[in-house]
Amino acid sequence: MRRKIVAGNWKMNKTFQEAEDLLDELAGRLNEEQEDQDVEVIVCPPYLYVEMAHDLCSDEDDATQVYYSVGVQDVSEHDKGAHTGEVSAAMLSSMDVEYCIVGHSERRRYFGETDAQVARKVEQLLQNEITPIVCCGEQAEDREAGKQFEVIGRQLKEGLFNLKPLDFSRLIIAYEPVWAIGTGKTATPEQAQEIHAWIRNQIQEQYGKEIARVIPILYGGSCNAKTAKDLFAQPDIDGGLIGGASLNADDFIAIVNSFDK
Ligand code: 13P
């Protein structure tokens, strides 16, 4: 069986105090209310709150009791040096960060991140033992023109298919249709399943059946407490990458508890 994962992408939200309140509430309530302990919960706050997130992620007296894992939202494609404002994978690793989102559509769209940069970021992360959560997805106009497979196929091929099989098998993929992000327009479970199955098939063609079988593929894009259950019930959807609904403990925990029992 594949891993079940729910990751919260906080984006650029929460002041220090708000972040502490939410992390504290999440830790306490995940401890008590998470129904299926096999679901991996990942929280990706802004960099500034990584240390605090790490301090609050497990039981004070028993560090093996982990409520959520800590991730971040981006990483530099460079290893170190004169790159003002950037944060390297080695720095993240030294702060015990375990996961990092790469190639989010907002980075691609507003910061011009290319597939080649995604490939370099993934490489940096893997070298530093951090699991990349790599985003792909089409814009509304791509879908209207029937080009969703072409766009996602290119993102996979140019961003990821240069990896050796063992490295590729360490990834998490997130399908995030850009037209569904922050719009309240969730893809239907059928639309999402169609793309997830297609992505898995592309992985199978490139890396074989076994790797395709184990890679988690998450859905992101207005996934919320109401829509998560039907999405997660699809055979190729292994969980969610959650934006807006990860900013509220009630919604986020409801999503974590949305897998079929
Ligand atoms: P929303 O859940 O707010 O649509 O954002 C999705 C997303 O971009 C997660 O990375």
Side-chain angles (χ1 to χ4, degrees):
M1 207 171 67
R2 276 191 297 276
R3 293 150 67 195
K4 296 181 257 183
I5 299 169
V6 174
N9 175 8
W10 286 15
K11 308 191 180 183
M12 196 176 72
N13 289 293
K14 305 283 179 194
T15 61
F16 183 87
Q17 191 55 57
E18 290 165 349
E20 184 173 42
D21 291 347
L22 178 54
L23 291 166
D24 212 21
E25 185 176 2
L26 281 179
R29 290 185 54 188
L30 284 168
N31 184 30
E32 285 166 13
E33 297 171 32
Q34 184 174 342
E35 290 163 10
D36 178 351
Q37 295 304 319
D38 289 338
V39 178
E40 285 176 52
V41 181
I42 304 169
V43 177
C44 302
Y47 288 134
L48 285 169
Y49 309 143
V50 158
E51 188 173 9
M52 174 167 67
H54 198 261
D55 286 346
L56 294 171
C57 77
S58 58
D59 188 316
E60 255 178 62
D61 303 317
D62 176 5
T64 61
Q65 279 281 95
V66 177
Y67 311 126
Y68 59 82
S69 301
V70 180
V72 292
Q73 303 168 20
D74 190 27
V75 66
S76 173
E77 67 190 280
H78 306 288
D79 59 353
K80 63 177 168 183
H83 302 286
T84 302
E86 293 281 273
V87 172
S88 74
M91 292 173 190
L92 296 174
S93 173
S94 72
M95 299 295 287
D96 296 318
V97 168
E98 291 179 77
Y99 296 90
C100 179
I101 298 168
V102 184
H104 192 279
S105 62
E106 287 150 19
R107 304 284 329 163
R108 294 179 191 262
R109 189 145 54 147
Y110 306 132
F111 300 89
E113 191 163 306
T114 63
D115 293 323
Q117 285 174 303
V118 169
R120 288 195 287 275
K121 290 180 178 197
V122 166
E123 207 174 297
Q124 288 288 334
L125 291 168
L126 292 173
Q127 277 168 11
N128 286 278
E129 308 291 333
I130 296 170
T131 302
I133 303 173
V134 187
C135 302
C136 58
E138 80 284 3
Q139 312 253 5
E141 52 271 28
D142 299 325
R143 183 164 275 264
E144 278 153 25
K147 288 190 173 163
Q148 60 270 37
F149 298 111
E150 187 186 314
V151 169
I152 299 166
R154 194 199 58 233
Q155 291 169 342
L156 294 174
K157 187 162 169 272
E158 294 180 14
L160 302 178
F161 285 176
N162 61 322
L163 289 169
K164 296 199 177 78
L166 194 61
D167 285 335
F168 188 88
S169 69
R170 293 160 63 195
L171 304 181
I172 297 170
I173 309 281
Y175 167 57
E176 298 207 314
V178 182
W179 47 272
I181 295 178
T183 58
K185 259 197 229 167
T186 320
T188 63
E190 294 72 27
Q191 279 174 324
Q193 165 59 23
E194 182 190 30
I195 301 278
H196 281 233
W198 184 84
I199 292 172
R200 203 176 297 291
N201 196 47
Q202 297 300 109
I203 297 171
Q204 179 167 328
E205 283 181 11
Q206 185 72 18
Y207 290 105
K209 225 177 185 156
E210 192 45 32
I211 290 184
R213 196 178 63 82
V214 297
I215 290 282
I217 308 178
L218 312 183
Y219 171 78
S222 296
C223 179
N224 58 39
K226 287 204 184 83
T227 55
K229 198 171 176 10
D230 288 343
L231 286 161
F232 295 178
Q234 300 298 315
D236 288 289
I237 300 183
D238 305 310
L241 179 55
I242 316 299
S246 72
L247 299 172
N248 170 290
D250 285 341
D251 291 342
F252 191 59
I253 290 167
I255 295 169
V256 170
N257 288 333
S258 290
F259 289 88
D260 278 345
K261 304 287 170 322

